[in-house]
Amino acid sequence: MKFKEYPYEHLDEKFVESEYQNVEKALKEAKSYDAFYKAFQDLDALNRKVETMSNLSSVRHTIQTNDAYYTQENDYFNELIPHVQNYRDSITKTIWNSPYFEELKKHVPPVYFLKKEFGMKAFDPSIIEELQQENKLASEYQALVASADIEFDGKHYSLEGLQVKMQDEDRETRKRATKAYWQWFEEHEQELGAIYDKMVKLRTQMAKKLGFDNYIPLGYLRMERLDYDQNDVANYRKQVLEDVVPFDNMLYEKQRQRLGYDQLQAWDEKIEFLDGNPTPKYDREEMVKRALKMYRELDPETGKFFEFMVEHDLLDLDSYPGKAAGGYCTFMPDFESPFIFANFNGTSHDAEVLTHEAGHAFQSYSSKENFPFECVWTTMESAEIHSMSMEFFTYPWMKSFFEDDVNKYYYSHLGGTLKFLPYGVLVDHFQHEVYAHPEMSHEERMATWRRLEKQYLPHKNYEEIPFLERGGWWMLQLHIFMDPFYYIDYTLAQVCALQFWTRMQKEDPKAFEDYKKICKLGGKLPFRQIVETANLKVPFEEGCLKDTVKEVEKWYEKFDESTL
């Protein structure tokens, strides 16, 4: 069955409520463990159905944001899901109070119970209205960004589409495109700032209702930070400042020298080479064919997985009007089916989609039979290990996408992973500041971003773009609006992925086997244990970042730049 044929069913709220009530009644009234476990299995089936329909609705809405039906359904789920959280929370308490609770622990991964404990702390029926409003604001932000229609050199571009011009070989074209891109944000600054202000105040209100001083501890609960806390993250950010920022400054200086400019301007940052960045040499159709060949050759299991994705049309990769911005991978439990959403734009990003998002998809495909379904997906920071590591494991096949530009790709991609770390922790640090001081005005938030940006990204030069000099960059970061505190995850995972890359350099035959092992595990373990199971070092450990940077530094010292 093709993705477009996946049947969608509108879930009436009264029907959903009745189904959850029936399950809870069966759990309460069970006269034996077998009867209790059967009700628990029924709960899992119901959760899978709700998740499947919610995700189908969301995917079809983001594929075409002006589709009236799925826009309506998406809005409906924004209202329904907080109620579903309430039903699930009530059922979790019933399970906890059951005489069969201890027996259930023998048949379900411990992390499931840990997640539920976090969920109970992060939810109360009193915040349902705020959760609904939060969902509406997230949809409002997404719709506003998707509506961007920027005229440039007589053509119309979305924000995603214009990024091709922002990486043009011609410096003047890049400059004009960059200015046009940020002009859109400046024109919508007040709208975006107002949406975010409402979100911050709403989330703070929820936190206070639940007994927290501010949103930060609630944010950690909602993000399921199961085995680390704010102190671990603060120490990690400190290591990034000490060990990564100086190395990145060296990379930026080499970039400036290579380009022959007096200064790196905002429109130069994404350009590594005077004759242009490496770009895939093929269109979307051919790239998917080559990706299929790549995954077949990488491993029988990845081959089988990508065949499934192609046969079922589970990749929506083109950029077109009305399509939401960004990229993601989701999963439809009832169809045991991942789905990849992206916006190809003719840059190296396209190849990274076929590796990064495919890493997510391979993980969920590998663990699709995990029970209960909450253990299919890992927590967010663990999930990014699978995606970012897949980018490295597919290195040997990048020549088939980039041809003679492949050395440029390796050089810029590896450097890009290190350059990303300070930005990633900047996004995290900014959110800690915002939610610790929710009373901040829009102007104060802008100034806070710029102050922190100067610490983590001291090379930034915003000459001729006053909007960015005032601190406007954060407005493009979808996660800040829609998924608070979901960003440090990428950096933690990147450090783990770089450790896999190091093992590849040393030709460790067990590296990919360890990778497959944690993909199959899915969400059965928390972050630290997943990292240790993969035989990697936990990024919070003192010296982890120093060692990681040292290995990358060695690679650059040996690299023959005459091949670029």
Side-chain angles (χ1 to χ4, degrees):
M1 187 189 303
K2 305 288 187 184
F3 173 74
K4 65 182 179 183
E5 298 166 339
Y6 283 8
Y8 175 75
E9 177 186 344
H10 174 80
L11 297 180
D12 180 76
E13 184 177 343
K14 291 194 180 302
F15 167 78
V16 173
E17 181 181 16
S18 171
E19 290 294 293
Y20 276 108
Q21 286 175 344
N22 290 341
V23 166
E24 185 163 17
K25 185 170 182 283
L27 288 165
K28 281 181 178 177
E29 297 179 356
K31 302 300 183 190
S32 66
Y33 176 71
D34 286 345
F36 179 83
Y37 192 68
K38 170 65 170 61
F40 185 78
Q41 289 174 310
D42 291 342
L43 169 64
D44 186 64
L46 178 57
N47 283 336
R48 284 174 179 267
K49 180 168 187 170
V50 172
E51 188 80 3
T52 299
M53 294 308 138
S54 174
N55 288 346
L56 265 178
S57 168
S58 177
V59 168
R60 288 175 176 164
H61 169 63
T62 53
I63 283 173
Q64 194 56 264
T65 57
N66 53 17
D67 182 305
Y69 177 74
Y70 282 109
T71 297
Q72 180 179 314
E73 288 299 283
N74 189 65
D75 291 343
Y76 172 70
F77 270 107
N78 286 342
E79 297 281 338
L80 179 64
I81 292 302
H83 289 294
V84 170
Q85 283 181 255
N86 189 26
Y87 307 145
R88 289 174 176 170
D89 186 61
S90 177
I91 289 173
T92 297
K93 290 171 183 172
T94 294
I95 292 170
W96 251 247
N97 293 322
S98 169
Y100 306 112
F101 180 56
E102 293 302 321
E103 185 71 15
L104 182 65
K105 283 185 175 181
K106 298 175 185 176
H107 299 97
V108 175
V111 77
Y112 169 82
F113 299 101
L114 191 55
K115 284 182 176 183
K116 291 301 177 185
E117 284 178 17
F118 273 48
M120 285 191 287
K121 291 175 183 176
F123 179 81
D124 185 86
S126 65
I127 66 168
I128 286 178
E129 186 177 341
E130 284 91 344
L131 289 168
Q132 291 172 331
Q133 291 176 37
E134 182 185 33
N135 288 338
K136 286 178 182 176
L137 287 168
S139 293
E140 188 180 333
Y141 168 78
Q142 201 169 26
L144 177 57
V145 172
S147 74
D149 183 0
I150 303 168
E151 188 171 351
F152 183 77
D153 286 351
K155 293 183 179 178
H156 290 261
Y157 295 88
S158 65
L159 289 169
E160 294 274 353
L162 189 59
Q163 290 187 32
V164 179
K165 295 296 182 183
M166 293 166 70
Q167 297 186 39
D168 197 273
E169 291 179 26
D170 179 68
R171 196 181 193 195
E172 186 58 32
T173 300
R174 293 200 304 270
K175 178 179 177 179
R176 291 188 298 105
T178 301
K179 286 186 170 184
Y181 182 92
W182 288 110
Q183 184 181 341
W184 185 89
F185 279 94
E186 187 167 19
E187 288 169 354
H188 295 83
E189 177 183 351
Q190 296 309 312
E191 291 172 81
L192 291 164
I195 291 172
Y196 190 57
D197 187 65
K198 289 176 186 174
M199 286 176 158
V200 171
K201 288 180 168 53
L202 199 61
R203 288 163 181 156
T204 301
Q205 185 176 316
M206 282 192 278
K208 296 205 169 192
K209 277 191 176 183
L210 294 174
F212 301 106
D213 290 336
N214 59 46
Y215 179 74
I216 296 171
L218 176 56
Y220 271 58
L221 288 170
R222 291 176 75 182
M223 285 304 302
E224 297 179 333
R225 308 299 196 210
L226 302 177
D227 55 0
Y228 60 94
D229 59 22
Q230 295 178 53
N231 293 326
D232 293 313
V233 171
N235 181 53
Y236 171 73
R237 290 199 304 256
K238 180 172 173 284
Q239 290 187 70
V240 170
L241 271 173
E242 292 173 354
D243 299 320
V244 182
V245 171
F247 178 76
D248 285 354
N249 288 340
M250 178 274 292
L251 287 180
Y252 285 116
E253 175 56 19
K254 288 179 68 125
Q255 181 182 356
R256 183 195 66 77
Q257 292 174 4
R258 194 164 53 249
L259 295 174
Y261 299 149
D262 291 337
Q263 287 185 315
L264 273 184
Q265 303 285 0
W267 45 86
D268 300 323
E269 283 183 18
K270 293 183 179 180
I271 299 299
E272 290 283 351
F273 311 101
L274 270 178
D275 56 352
N277 285 351
T279 56
K281 307 306 176 189
Y282 305 98
D283 62 14
R284 186 260 312 154
E285 184 178 2
E286 181 62 25
M287 285 185 71
V288 171
K289 285 181 184 176
R290 287 169 182 254
L292 178 57
K293 181 175 184 292
M294 171 179 75
Y295 283 117
R296 282 171 170 160
E297 292 174 357
L298 173 60
D299 188 87
E301 291 179 49
T302 55
K304 182 180 176 184
F305 144 73
F306 207 73
E307 286 168 4
F308 177 85
M309 298 295 289
V310 172
E311 287 168 8
H312 295 267
D313 285 344
L314 295 166
L315 304 106
D316 193 292
L317 306 175
D318 293 317
S319 180
Y320 45 81
K323 186 175 184 179
Y328 61 79
C329 172
T330 190
F331 184 75
M332 268 69 71
D334 278 353
F335 303 108
E336 296 188 336
S337 167
F339 183 89
I340 293 174
F341 171 99
N343 282 272
F344 270 24
N345 59 15
T347 70
S348 60
H349 156 271
D350 299 351
E352 286 158 18
V353 164
L354 288 173
T355 54
H356 182 98
E357 299 302 343
H360 285 308
F362 178 65
Q363 181 266 298
S364 60
Y365 180 85
S366 300
S367 60
K368 62 182 183 288
E369 295 177 3
N370 283 7
F371 178 84
F373 102 91
E374 287 96 331
C375 293
V376 170
W377 282 113
T378 65
T379 50
M380 295 298 194
E381 72 288 282
S382 301
E384 298 302 337
I385 298 174
H386 311 116
S387 55
M388 291 177 161
S389 299
M390 184 64 88
E391 293 179 37
F392 288 127
F393 282 120
T394 52
Y395 261 21
W397 288 269
M398 286 301 102
K399 185 171 176 55
S400 68
F401 296 110
F402 292 96
E403 302 295 355
D404 291 342
D405 277 349
V406 69
N407 280 338
K408 284 185 177 181
Y409 175 75
Y410 294 143
Y411 187 96
S412 57
H413 180 268
L414 181 61
T417 64
L418 265 295
K419 287 178 177 178
F420 169 72
L421 296 182
Y423 176 74
V425 298
L426 163 62
V427 170
D428 181 73
H429 199 159
F430 172 71
Q431 293 183 90
H432 277 83
E433 291 287 327
V434 166
Y435 289 107
H437 306 284
E439 73 284 354
M440 278 198 288
S441 66
H442 170 68
E443 289 72 22
E444 288 171 327
R445 288 180 189 134
M446 297 278 279
T448 297
W449 174 270
R450 190 67 184 110
R451 171 175 58 82
L452 294 173
E453 191 175 40
K454 288 176 179 178
Q455 290 179 38
Y456 292 103
L457 304 169
H459 72 282
K460 289 280 188 180
N461 183 343
Y462 292 141
E463 190 178 317
E464 297 189 47
I465 310 181
F467 174 70
L468 294 182
E469 186 58 47
R470 287 192 291 113
W473 184 288
W474 62 272
M475 289 192 170
L476 71 72
Q477 196 59 63
L478 175 146
H479 305 72
I480 290 175
F481 288 80
M482 297 185 65
D483 297 292
F485 292 110
Y486 177 20
Y487 213 72
I488 195 80
D489 312 66
Y490 291 110
T491 75
L492 294 170
Q494 189 69 81
V495 174
C496 295
L498 282 162
Q499 292 179 67
F500 270 130
W501 170 83
T502 298
R503 292 171 66 180
M504 288 174 63
Q505 302 307 297
K506 297 176 180 177
E507 299 183 355
D508 181 349
K510 295 182 179 178
F512 196 68
E513 292 306 310
D514 281 344
Y515 173 78
K516 288 195 298 180
K517 189 194 306 177
I518 61 171
C519 286
K520 288 184 174 70
L521 266 175
K524 289 182 177 180
L525 292 175
F527 174 66
R528 287 178 186 267
Q529 291 181 45
I530 285 176
V531 175
E532 289 162 357
T533 300
N535 291 309
L536 305 174
K537 188 181 286 187
V538 176
F540 303 124
E541 290 181 24
E542 288 290 343
C544 179
L545 277 167
K546 193 180 292 293
D547 293 343
T548 300
V549 171
K550 193 177 293 182
E551 291 298 326
V552 177
E553 202 166 11
K554 286 180 189 174
W555 185 90
Y556 275 96
E557 287 170 357
K558 293 177 183 176
F559 186 82
D560 181 2
E561 294 196 25
S562 67
T563 64
L564 297 174

